[in-house]
Amino acid sequence: MSGSLWLKPPRTQTPLPAIPRPRAEGGESGTGHATAPGAPTTGRTPQAPAGRPSPPGSTGPEAGAGPEAPAGPEALAGSPGSAGSAAPAGHAGRPAVGTPPPDQDGLAADPLVALAQRLDGFVAAAVHPDEIAAILESDGMTDEHIRLTYGRADSFSLAEDLYARVERRHPEPAAPPAGAWYGELAGCLLRGLVFALPGLAYVLAAPLLAAGHGRFGLPAGTVPLLAGAVTGWVWNQALAHRAYTWLGLGDRPAAARALLTGAPAGALAGAAVALAAAGPGEIPAAVFAAGQSLYLAAATVLLVLGRERALLCALLPLAGAVPAFRWDLPDALRAALLLATLAASVAFAALVLRPGARRGAAGRGGPPRAASLPYGLFGLGSGLLVLHAGVSDTLVSGAGAVIALTLSMGPAEWLLHRFRDGSLTRLRTLTTAREFRRAVTGTLVLCLGGYLTVLLALTLAATLAWPGAPWPTLPRLLTLLLIGTVLWLGLLLQAFGAVTSAAIVCLLAAAAQTVEPAAGPVAAGGAAAVLAALTCALLVRPTAHRG
């Protein structure tokens, strides 16, 4: 019953801050804009046609240039002249369409200066012009509007000008709450523990499964076990992403509803695949694989909905496997411990899914199901890499590698949080893009190095704790560390939305190891190099950490 469910909640994208609007003078229309007497109140800003571009620094065509026509969206109104509907040309006391209001000296105000004043807080905190361009584009400014209003070619040119005009100012980051890092670490270590504890189920079930040699040079019963486990990883990764998306939308009952319908379907799929892959004499292993699929479905529900402690309580009967390392336990006791764990997991999952059973809890249509497919493929690739790490000359050394990888997922998650928090802190304290790139690269190296150190320590600890376990050879240790690098960088890219790239790289590396097992170090090393290059290319940009 592998608990290697490594999907973390996706980073919820928050909208970029809206450009602040100038307070209009005069009467207020229904849309919050000043309206001239007799002007239409349709909520749109009439402007002259954009057939003739204005010179740099101007705010639009002159009065009388032609009949009025709709311009860009009203949300583009970054200039003073777009604060409301303008009166016809020549109207006494009214500026022409697109003309900024005069300043105190009677001169026309520069719209770029006015925009810089309104965006002062956003521009001052930016470390690269691309961040300003993203704010402008998110507010609906088109290149045509920018050319007519500000005399710049596009949003990037306008962003560079604003970046040069405003002095860099960054607010000091707020101090983290006392003990926050400890709480995060404790929660991540708890998740790592519940990932690894299901491995004790294999210790209890070993005498109950078929003995002897099976297919492909593996022990009998291995093929249905692996088939059921891989099916569960793929299905539950995709299901967890969909449920996390509902949680990000603030609809917990809809997330529970998605788990209520998806988790049983995943359990049935895993059991069916395991039974179909079973050969002669492997029916006991297929039955165990069906129970493994049911456990994976229940564990997915509990982990996604934040019930790690309930899952830990359900796994407590597996502690009875510890004496089995040295003494032979009765088969009835082994089966009872396994069934107790499975029953407790399913019962706890059913309790937390009660909100999803309410009528109408499915939500508003929901996120597209195709968006969860890359997460399932990432689960497939990462799961196959872990299985390859567990294939060794001896069962003990292979199991030690898998235990080390699963236990390391807790510290891996905490280090992902540390990288995210460190990047956000530097985004608010550094003033140039070059300084930010250097700082983020250093944080990335430290976090990855910390994870590999933890993985190495766990591997050595598992070797020492397991009676008769041989020391891992240098090539196998190097391959394990490379696989760990692939997993951690893949999780990091997944957290920042680049899950498709991570899934493709992991799948290609797993396929290469499947076709040619001797090419394991080369495949893992190539995948680690590609993911490192992608990470450096994507995550050193300030815009990747906004929102």
Side-chain angles (χ1 to χ4, degrees):
M1 297 184 196
S2 175
S4 304
L5 180 70
W6 297 334
L7 180 65
K8 307 305 182 296
R11 182 167 59 98
T12 303
Q13 295 291 339
T14 56
L16 291 169
I19 296 179
R21 307 294 183 205
R23 182 178 297 276
E25 298 178 359
E28 296 289 339
S29 66
T31 58
H33 295 276
T35 306
T41 58
T42 59
R44 296 181 59 85
T45 303
Q47 290 187 0
R52 183 178 52 170
S54 303
S58 67
T59 59
E62 297 178 356
E68 294 180 345
E74 186 184 9
L76 309 183
S79 63
S82 59
S85 301
H91 192 286
R94 297 287 179 183
V97 175
T99 304
D103 57 15
Q104 295 179 354
D105 298 330
L107 301 177
D110 185 351
L112 190 59
V113 173
L115 181 62
Q117 291 174 350
R118 286 195 294 275
L119 293 180
D120 181 77
F122 302 141
V123 177
V127 298
H128 195 276
D130 287 352
E131 297 181 69
I132 308 171
I135 294 175
L136 298 175
E137 292 174 357
S138 70
D139 205 61
M141 284 196 182
T142 63
D143 291 344
E144 180 183 5
H145 172 78
I146 291 173
R147 285 194 298 271
L148 292 176
T149 307
Y150 302 104
R152 303 299 183 270
D154 49 33
S155 60
F156 293 97
S157 300
L158 180 59
E160 290 175 358
D161 204 338
L162 291 172
Y163 185 82
R165 285 172 177 260
V166 179
E167 182 183 1
R168 307 272 73 72
R169 298 188 309 276
H170 298 271
E172 290 295 330
W181 70 271
Y182 175 79
E184 290 180 2
L185 179 59
C188 293
L189 291 178
L190 176 60
R191 291 174 69 90
L193 183 60
V194 298
F195 290 157
L197 276 179
L200 294 175
Y202 293 99
V203 178
L204 288 173
L208 307 178
L209 304 179
H213 295 285
R215 291 165 287 172
F216 311 110
L218 299 173
T222 302
V223 173
L225 286 175
L226 295 183
V230 171
T231 303
W233 288 338
V234 175
W235 183 279
N236 290 305
Q237 284 281 97
L239 175 63
H241 171 261
R242 182 166 179 80
Y244 275 133
T245 305
W246 276 120
L247 292 176
L249 295 174
D251 198 339
R252 189 178 180 87
R257 182 71 177 179
L259 293 169
L260 182 63
T261 56
L268 289 175
V273 171
L275 290 172
E282 292 182 333
I283 296 301
V287 173
F288 180 83
Q292 172 183 256
S293 299
L294 183 58
Y295 166 77
L296 280 175
T300 300
V301 172
L302 294 173
L303 289 173
V304 170
L305 297 181
R307 298 294 195 273
E308 290 88 353
R309 289 180 174 82
L311 182 57
L312 179 62
C313 293
L315 293 173
L316 288 179
L318 294 182
V322 176
F325 283 100
R326 295 188 177 274
W327 298 285
D328 188 19
L329 300 180
D331 290 347
L333 178 59
R334 292 174 181 268
L337 293 175
L338 292 173
L339 290 176
T341 296
L342 183 60
S345 302
V346 174
F348 284 137
L351 287 175
V352 301
L353 284 180
R354 285 182 301 175
R358 297 172 185 170
R359 186 176 181 181
R364 313 171 297 278
R369 290 178 172 83
S372 300
L373 179 60
Y375 292 85
L377 295 177
F378 178 77
L380 174 60
S382 59
L384 290 176
L385 288 175
V386 174
L387 291 180
H388 283 298
V391 176
S392 178
D393 298 332
T394 64
L395 178 63
V396 174
S397 58
V402 173
I403 290 173
L405 280 172
T406 51
L407 279 174
S408 70
M409 287 299 104
E413 182 179 352
W414 184 75
L415 288 168
L416 291 175
H417 288 307
R418 293 300 93 202
F419 174 79
R420 174 69 174 162
D421 293 344
S423 301
L424 290 177
T425 299
R426 285 160 177 78
L427 191 64
R428 301 183 64 185
T429 55
L430 301 180
T431 57
T432 66
R434 176 177 295 181
E435 292 177 344
F436 181 78
R437 284 195 298 269
R438 291 178 178 175
V440 169
T441 302
T443 304
L444 177 63
V445 171
L446 287 176
C447 290
L448 178 58
Y451 169 69
L452 294 179
T453 302
V454 171
L455 178 58
L456 178 61
L458 288 173
T459 303
L460 298 179
T463 303
L464 291 173
W466 202 300
W471 284 98
T473 62
L474 184 59
R476 285 197 57 82
L477 197 59
L478 177 61
T479 303
L480 180 63
L481 294 178
L482 289 174
I483 291 176
T485 302
V486 172
L487 293 178
W488 194 84
L489 291 178
L491 289 172
L492 181 61
L493 290 173
Q494 173 185 276
F496 281 86
V499 61
T500 303
S501 302
I504 292 174
V505 173
C506 289
L507 284 173
L508 291 177
Q513 289 197 15
T514 303
V515 173
E516 183 55 55
V522 177
V530 172
L531 290 180
L534 288 174
T535 303
C536 292
L538 295 176
L539 301 188
V540 298
R541 298 181 301 176
T543 50
H545 302 268
R546 290 292 190 188

